[in-house]
Amino acid sequence: MMIYRKVVEFETRGENDFINITDTIEGIIRESGITNGIVNIFVPGSTAAVTTFEYEPGLKTDIAQALARIAPDDIEYEHHKRWGDDNGRSHVKAAIVGPSLTIPIENGRLLCGTWQQIVFLELDTRPRRRRLIVTVMGE
Ligand code: ZN
């Protein structure tokens, strides 16, 4: 069994910047030389998330709106009182979507559905510099 880890860094434009990272992940898998196993993608940070969906403009808006119904912009968050922060909703959305994702790899390919892309969700209220930890495990 081999383990290959890579840290990817990039800038985001702030809230609801949803970035298709599928090509980046496929590139890391190729570079790893691992053809059968799994890849784990983890975002260290409590106001961003990773998930999969069909990456098209309609769904990007639908997902942003669905998350805004769960954690609206215009309600009170205890987090703001505690830290003088303005991103209570970002923390709530990130906790619900989750910080990591694991996908099986077979014969060098991700076993994703045809319309299933890997997407990084920036949920914070301001642009951020982000790191993603990508771990490929297998043989
Ligand atoms: Zn905060």
Side-chain angles (χ1 to χ4, degrees):
M1 225 257 301
M2 290 199 308
I3 297 183
Y4 181 84
R5 180 164 294 133
K6 181 140 187 188
V7 178
V8 183
E9 292 194 56
F10 55 94
E11 308 279 341
T12 73
R13 293 177 316 218
E15 194 163 31
N16 296 332
D17 188 8
F18 295 171
I19 303 167
N20 183 354
I21 56 169
T22 312
D23 289 349
T24 305
I25 303 305
E26 285 174 342
I28 294 170
I29 293 168
R30 271 194 298 279
E31 189 176 297
S32 76
I34 292 169
T35 52
N36 286 286
I38 55 171
V39 60
N40 175 268
I41 302 137
F42 178 78
V43 50
S46 57
T47 54
V50 283
T51 187
T52 66
F53 63 83
E54 180 181 345
Y55 192 80
E56 58 90 9
L59 268 175
K60 282 164 73 177
T61 304
D62 290 335
I63 288 164
Q65 288 178 348
L67 291 172
R69 286 191 289 271
I70 294 167
D73 305 4
D74 56 357
I75 62 169
E76 288 288 311
Y77 290 90
E78 293 300 316
H79 181 65
H80 299 176
K81 295 180 206 159
R82 211 167 167 82
W83 299 108
D85 244 354
D86 70 344
N87 62 356
R89 64 179 184 270
S90 315
H91 289 278
V92 173
K93 292 172 186 174
I96 289 167
V97 179
S100 75
L101 195 65
T102 300
I103 302 171
I105 304 162
E106 189 180 75
N107 300 324
R109 295 189 51 239
L110 286 168
L111 293 183
C112 285
T114 311
W115 305 111
Q116 187 180 23
Q117 277 86 44
I118 307 166
V119 187
F120 173 89
L121 309 187
E122 179 57 77
L123 299 165
D124 211 336
T125 48
R126 60 190 169 87
R128 296 286 303 260
R129 177 156 192 83
R130 292 296 190 181
R131 289 187 325 132
L132 270 183
I133 301 169
V134 183
T135 308
V136 189
M137 276 184 295
E139 49 197 22

